Amino acid sequence: GWRVGAWRRGFDASNGLSVGPTYEITCADNRGHWTRSSKVSWGKRGGFYGYGGAPRQPRFAAFNQEKPATWYDPPLCWIPMSADNSSGGQLWVTSDRWGLPRGSLLHNSSGMCTLLSVLMQDVDGSMQGGIWSFPLKFASGILRDQFNPNRGQIHVCGPEGWNTGR
């Protein structure tokens, strides 16, 4: 079996992950000490995603000598701050009634109170892509969502308050 800790190394302020239809793992990270902007990463066993720790932490120097912050597995996509300033999780489309093909990936923005579609492509074994924002504005930021298995519609939830676009 696999363990989440075996690949989830080098995230600054991640919030939520997803497991795809054939056990793909994605995770979002928020802007932080060493993270330029929000991003969605495609998980790989043994991957390092760029964050070596806060400079004030005693382990920071030793960690960065082992794995310099200049080397990391690139994300699936960077997300501009104007589209997502605080990420939630991701959700794989499992419904035929929602307008996107099954297996498409959605990304939640807690900060902008929006839902994004992640457009992705495998290029020589490396996943890469971009985002497209749905023309929706929710009453709160979105952290988690799920498809209703009976109706095929999406249910979203999240907080209203700190760092949301409301």
Side-chain angles (χ1 to χ4, degrees):
W2 55 271
R3 297 178 334 191
V4 171
W7 72 267
R8 192 184 178 278
R9 184 170 168 197
F11 288 104
D12 184 4
S14 60
N15 180 5
L17 60 87
S18 73
V19 178
T22 56
Y23 304 105
E24 307 88 348
I25 297 175
T26 65
C27 185
D29 202 1
N30 294 301
R31 183 176 183 272
H33 292 289
W34 295 101
T35 309
R36 299 184 280 249
S37 187
S38 295
K39 63 181 178 175
V40 175
S41 292
W42 188 268
K44 297 189 308 188
R45 183 181 299 277
F48 175 68
Y49 298 93
Y51 179 65
R56 295 180 300 272
Q57 294 176 351
R59 298 179 324 188
F60 176 76
F63 183 85
N64 279 323
Q65 288 172 6
E66 174 192 339
K67 289 266 192 176
T70 56
W71 172 88
Y72 59 90
D73 290 297
L76 173 65
C77 65
W78 290 103
I79 304 174
M81 293 291 285
S82 60
D84 180 21
N85 62 339
S86 184
S87 297
Q90 296 84 55
L91 177 68
W92 294 85
V93 175
T94 59
S95 169
D96 292 324
R97 300 184 61 200
W98 214 69
L100 293 175
R102 283 180 180 256
S104 298
L105 184 63
L106 302 175
H107 173 74
N108 306 320
S109 174
S110 176
M112 293 300 186
C113 307
T114 60
L115 183 65
L116 306 162
S117 175
V118 181
L119 310 169
M120 51 191 169
Q121 180 180 17
D122 184 334
V123 178
D124 298 327
S126 178
M127 293 301 289
Q128 55 185 276
I131 55 105
W132 177 81
S133 184
F134 288 95
L136 304 169
K137 190 71 166 179
F138 294 92
S140 69
I142 304 172
L143 291 179
R144 305 294 180 262
D145 45 11
Q146 183 173 4
F147 279 99
N148 179 313
N150 297 322
R151 296 185 56 215
Q153 297 300 313
I154 192 171
H155 297 269
V156 300
C157 68
E160 180 178 1
W162 179 82
N163 203 28
T164 62
R166 300 280 310 146

